mmCIF file of all heavy atoms in Angstrom:
data_model
loop_
_atom_site.group_PDB
_atom_site.id
_atom_site.type_symbol
_atom_site.label_atom_id
_atom_site.label_comp_id
_atom_site.label_asym_id
_atom_site.label_seq_id
_atom_site.Cartn_x
_atom_site.Cartn_y
_atom_site.Cartn_z
ATOM 1 N N ILE A 101 -5.648 3.742 1.141
ATOM 2 C CA ILE A 101 -7.022 4.038 0.773
ATOM 3 C C ILE A 101 -7.847 2.778 0.999
ATOM 4 O O ILE A 101 -7.359 1.665 0.773
ATOM 5 C CB ILE A 101 -7.146 4.538 -0.686
ATOM 6 C CG1 ILE A 101 -8.567 5.030 -0.971
ATOM 7 C CG2 ILE A 101 -6.704 3.481 -1.680
ATOM 8 C CD1 ILE A 101 -8.711 5.772 -2.297
ATOM 9 N N ASN A 102 -9.058 2.973 1.488
ATOM 10 C CA ASN A 102 -9.997 1.859 1.599
ATOM 11 C C ASN A 102 -11.413 2.399 1.430
ATOM 12 O O ASN A 102 -11.628 3.611 1.426
ATOM 13 C CB ASN A 102 -9.810 1.066 2.897
ATOM 14 C CG ASN A 102 -10.073 1.868 4.140
ATOM 15 O OD1 ASN A 102 -11.088 2.550 4.254
ATOM 16 N ND2 ASN A 102 -9.162 1.791 5.107
ATOM 17 N N ALA A 103 -12.345 1.486 1.270
ATOM 18 C CA ALA A 103 -13.727 1.866 0.966
ATOM 19 C C ALA A 103 -14.385 2.652 2.088
ATOM 20 O O ALA A 103 -15.184 3.554 1.837
ATOM 21 C CB ALA A 103 -14.545 0.614 0.658
ATOM 22 N N ARG A 104 -14.047 2.356 3.311
ATOM 23 C CA ARG A 104 -14.720 2.985 4.448
ATOM 24 C C ARG A 104 -14.183 4.371 4.779
ATOM 25 O O ARG A 104 -14.932 5.298 5.030
ATOM 26 C CB ARG A 104 -14.613 2.079 5.667
ATOM 27 C CG ARG A 104 -15.535 2.470 6.785
ATOM 28 C CD ARG A 104 -15.506 1.475 7.889
ATOM 29 N NE ARG A 104 -14.130 1.086 8.146
ATOM 30 C CZ ARG A 104 -13.721 0.360 9.172
ATOM 31 N NH1 ARG A 104 -14.593 -0.071 10.027
ATOM 32 N NH2 ARG A 104 -12.466 0.052 9.336
ATOM 33 N N ARG A 105 -12.875 4.524 4.797
ATOM 34 C CA ARG A 105 -12.266 5.788 5.230
ATOM 35 C C ARG A 105 -11.762 6.667 4.094
ATOM 36 O O ARG A 105 -11.353 7.795 4.335
ATOM 37 C CB ARG A 105 -11.090 5.499 6.158
ATOM 38 C CG ARG A 105 -11.478 4.939 7.486
ATOM 39 C CD ARG A 105 -10.234 4.873 8.380
ATOM 40 N NE ARG A 105 -10.379 3.823 9.333
ATOM 41 C CZ ARG A 105 -9.842 2.614 9.229
ATOM 42 N NH1 ARG A 105 -9.108 2.306 8.215
ATOM 43 N NH2 ARG A 105 -10.043 1.707 10.157
ATOM 44 N N GLY A 106 -11.680 6.134 2.886
ATOM 45 C CA GLY A 106 -11.050 6.886 1.807
ATOM 46 C C GLY A 106 -9.540 6.886 2.010
ATOM 47 O O GLY A 106 -8.977 5.951 2.568
ATOM 48 N N THR A 107 -8.882 7.953 1.593
ATOM 49 C CA THR A 107 -7.425 8.058 1.717
ATOM 50 C C THR A 107 -7.064 8.601 3.091
ATOM 51 O O THR A 107 -7.615 9.611 3.529
ATOM 52 C CB THR A 107 -6.853 8.989 0.638
ATOM 53 O OG1 THR A 107 -7.280 8.534 -0.643
ATOM 54 C CG2 THR A 107 -5.329 9.000 0.673
ATOM 55 N N THR A 108 -6.135 7.922 3.759
ATOM 56 C CA THR A 108 -5.666 8.383 5.066
ATOM 57 C C THR A 108 -4.152 8.277 5.129
ATOM 58 O O THR A 108 -3.532 7.470 4.433
ATOM 59 C CB THR A 108 -6.266 7.565 6.231
ATOM 60 O OG1 THR A 108 -5.957 6.191 6.039
ATOM 61 C CG2 THR A 108 -7.770 7.744 6.312
ATOM 62 N N CYS A 109 -3.583 9.106 5.982
ATOM 63 C CA CYS A 109 -2.148 9.098 6.233
ATOM 64 C C CYS A 109 -1.979 8.990 7.745
ATOM 65 O O CYS A 109 -2.321 9.917 8.476
ATOM 66 C CB CYS A 109 -1.528 10.376 5.688
ATOM 67 S SG CYS A 109 0.269 10.394 5.726
ATOM 68 N N LEU A 110 -1.493 7.828 8.195
ATOM 69 C CA LEU A 110 -1.392 7.554 9.632
ATOM 70 C C LEU A 110 0.048 7.307 10.048
ATOM 71 O O LEU A 110 0.818 6.710 9.288
ATOM 72 C CB LEU A 110 -2.185 6.289 9.978
ATOM 73 C CG LEU A 110 -3.688 6.315 9.773
ATOM 74 C CD1 LEU A 110 -4.260 4.924 10.015
ATOM 75 C CD2 LEU A 110 -4.326 7.317 10.702
ATOM 76 N N PRO A 111 0.416 7.686 11.270
ATOM 77 C CA PRO A 111 1.725 7.291 11.790
ATOM 78 C C PRO A 111 1.848 5.764 11.723
ATOM 79 O O PRO A 111 0.868 5.039 11.947
ATOM 80 C CB PRO A 111 1.705 7.775 13.237
ATOM 81 C CG PRO A 111 0.700 8.882 13.244
ATOM 82 C CD PRO A 111 -0.343 8.487 12.239
ATOM 83 N N LEU A 112 3.029 5.278 11.402
ATOM 84 C CA LEU A 112 3.215 3.841 11.170
ATOM 85 C C LEU A 112 2.739 2.968 12.315
ATOM 86 O O LEU A 112 2.067 1.963 12.092
ATOM 87 C CB LEU A 112 4.682 3.516 10.883
ATOM 88 C CG LEU A 112 5.157 3.785 9.476
ATOM 89 C CD1 LEU A 112 6.597 3.317 9.312
ATOM 90 C CD2 LEU A 112 4.272 3.142 8.432
#
Side-chain angles (χ1 to χ4, degrees):
I101 188 169
N102 63 49
R104 194 174 43 170
R105 291 188 208 99
T107 305
T108 57
C109 188
L110 296 173
L112 280 184

